[in-house]
């Protein structure tokens, strides 16, 4: 099969590799029809994680079931399915509580597994023609009859729509979101779906901010570094009820220099006293290549005194996609949500290298790329 293979920093290649196949009775094999590139792939692509060369990327996957393990009951041949990026067992203590992003058995010794992901188990990704799906009865979301027609919407259920929704879980009436990438835009979209009165999205990229405006959010252009002041002015000097971090450890100042603590401290500044902060942007336990000394050890200089004085609270981590994907699937089926609005490029798998290069450069107009292995 053809697959997107990581060779080293800023180097991916589409090449022939051995076919994915069923390894355990609880697996199914999926023929991938759509698979997205994510901001999380970029941390790996840039060589800023422990991702091993030779592995296949791709954790935002949708396709058709073409083979079924002997212990699979629910999922049927020919089902069109979307998989959460998290791989989870369904029977461990965390899975039982719905915390499927932190499964204790799928990646022994760690909490949480995923397809084609640094540090999240040996599983291959789905930027390929075929994908092995473990614990298929638990991990496959079987899609409604309009799956083919709305494929570009349903594929967002694999990660960024539930992740954006997760970021706004404690949403109040006003929300400030740092980052207008795919995740930040989905957080804004989710806050709007939930009925938030004022949704402010901070970024420096005008094309991404324009998409935020298109869905009814307020674009806060931070390209002159005035984002925090603008948010405070729009919230009567008090700050937003709720804040979302949708950038992660590679966040930059308005001049493009990495400043790892910038978004976190901006959130403390622009969320009101007793407000909540949801952090879905990825932060990692060590980042040996960081320029910042603290960041190399996975630390940031966090304004904890101000955070404490303001009585704020915070939640972090990989999103438990399964907690939301069924509900969000129904919104798409009923025509109440159309997350495909963020897609800028729909390309054949063969053009993955070019897609990575442009999306990584945050090149104007490249907001979200989806790959179609069948084309
Ligand atoms: N927790 C989860 O489950 C989960 C799931 C998917 C993605 N993620 C993470 O979410 C983050 C965003 O992903 P994405 O796909 O949207 O990626 P992205 O990198 O395309 O988007 C990040 C955006 O943040 C902007 N940005 C950078 N510095 C900023 C600053 N100081 N203030 C405001 N905006 C700033 C960038 O211009 C960019 O538009 C990544 O860290 C990704 O790994 C987490
Ligand atoms: Zn993702
Ligand atoms: Zn589990």
């Amino acid at each position: 099969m053809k697959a997107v293979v990581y060779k080293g920093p800023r180097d991916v290649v589409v090449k022939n590799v051995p076919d994915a196949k069923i390894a355990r009775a609880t697996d199914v094999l999926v023929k991938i029809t759509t698979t997205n590139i994510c901001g999380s792939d970029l941390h790996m692509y840039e060589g800023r994680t422990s991702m091993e060369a030779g592995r296949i990327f791709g954790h935002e996957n949708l396709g058709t079931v073409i083979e079924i393990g002997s212990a699979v009951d629910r999922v049927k041949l020919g089902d069109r399915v979307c998989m959460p990026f998290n791989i989870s067992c369904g029977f461990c203590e965390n899975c039982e509580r719905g915390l499927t992003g932190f499964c204790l058995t799928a990646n022994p010794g760690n909490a949480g597994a995923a397809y084609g992901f640094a540090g999240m188990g040996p599983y291959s990704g789905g930027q390929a023609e075929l994908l092995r799906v473990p614990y298929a009865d638990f991990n496959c979301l079987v899609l409604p009859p309009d799956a083919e027609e709305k494929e570009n919407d349903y594929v967002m259920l694999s990660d960024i729509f539930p992740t954006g929704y997760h970021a706004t879980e404690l949403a109040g009436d006003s929300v400030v979101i740092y980052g207008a990438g795919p995740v930040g835009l989905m957080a804004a979209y989710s806050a709007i779906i939930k009925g938030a009165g004022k949704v402010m999205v901070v970024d420096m990229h005008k094309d991404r901010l324009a998409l935020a405006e298109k869905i009814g959010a307020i674009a806060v252009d931070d390209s002159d570094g005035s984002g925090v002041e603008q948010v405070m002015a729009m919230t009567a000097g008090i700050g937003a009820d709720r804040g979302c971090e949708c950038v992660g450890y590679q966040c930059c100042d308005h001049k493009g220099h990495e400043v790892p603590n910038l978004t976190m401290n901006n959130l403390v500044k622009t969320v009101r006293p007793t407000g909540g902060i949801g952090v879905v942007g990825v932060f990692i336990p060590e980042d040996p290549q960081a320029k910042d000394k603290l960041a190399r050890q996975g630390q940031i200089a966090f304004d904890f005194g101000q955070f404490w004085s303001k009585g704020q609270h915070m939640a972090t981590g990989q999103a438990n996609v399964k907690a939301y994907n069924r509900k969000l699937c129904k919104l798409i089926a009923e025509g109440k949500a159309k997350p495909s609005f963020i897609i800028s490029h729909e390309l054949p798998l063969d053009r993955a290298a070019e897609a990575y290069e442009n999306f990584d450069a945050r090149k104007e107009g490249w907001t979200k790329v989806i790959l179609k292995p069948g084309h």
Side-chain angles (χ1 to χ4, degrees), residues 36-41 58-60 85 117 158-160 163 183 318 368:
N36 309 335
I37 302 179
C38 178
S40 296
D41 290 321
H59 59 270
E60 301 190 1
F85 75 89
F117 220 107
S158 57
D159 180 350
I160 59 166
T163 295
V183 172
Q318 299 283 5
K368 181 77 176 173

Side-chain angles (χ1 to χ4, degrees), residues 88-92 94-95 103-106:
S88 47
C89 69
F91 50 73
C92 73
N94 284 350
C95 283
C103 175
L104 297 168
T105 71

Side-chain angles (χ1 to χ4, degrees), residues 12-193:
V12 294
V13 64
V14 179
K15 67 173 195 179
N16 276 309
V17 299
D19 279 359
K21 53 178 194 292
I22 290 194
R24 302 185 65 190
T26 44
D27 295 347
V28 297
L29 192 66
V30 171
K31 182 170 177 260
I32 296 294
T33 51
T34 306
T35 175
N36 309 335
I37 302 179
C38 178
S40 296
D41 290 321
L42 299 180
H43 305 310
M44 297 186 271
Y45 174 73
E46 291 176 13
R48 290 285 293 273
T49 68
S50 58
M51 191 61 170
E52 303 88 359
R55 291 191 58 195
I56 302 170
F57 279 155
H59 59 270
E60 301 190 1
N61 305 312
L62 182 153
T64 306
V65 176
I66 56 163
E67 202 183 323
I68 294 194
S70 59
V72 174
D73 280 330
R74 182 179 67 95
V75 178
K76 303 276 179 282
L77 273 184
D79 279 351
R80 296 183 77 88
V81 291
C82 181
M83 277 63 63
F85 75 89
N86 330 94
I87 300 172
S88 47
C89 69
F91 50 73
C92 73
E93 195 177 337
N94 284 350
C95 283
E96 277 177 4
R97 291 165 61 209
L99 307 174
T100 52
F102 303 86
C103 175
L104 297 168
T105 71
N107 181 16
N110 297 279
Y115 305 92
F117 220 107
M120 299 193 74
Y123 306 97
S124 286
Q127 289 170 12
E129 289 173 306
L130 300 169
L131 177 72
R132 172 197 163 215
V133 178
Y135 301 116
D137 277 329
F138 191 63
N139 286 311
C140 292
L141 178 72
V142 177
L143 297 169
D146 60 357
E148 208 169 334
E149 180 197 328
K150 292 184 181 165
E151 177 150 337
N152 292 357
D153 292 304
Y154 287 125
V155 72
M156 301 308 164
L157 295 172
S158 57
D159 180 350
I160 59 166
F161 195 13
T163 295
Y165 198 85
H166 184 61
T168 63
E169 259 312 73
L170 310 172
D173 191 45
S174 61
V175 185
V176 59
I177 295 163
Y178 286 84
V183 172
L185 288 170
M186 285 295 116
Y189 196 49
S190 299
I192 289 165
I193 286 172

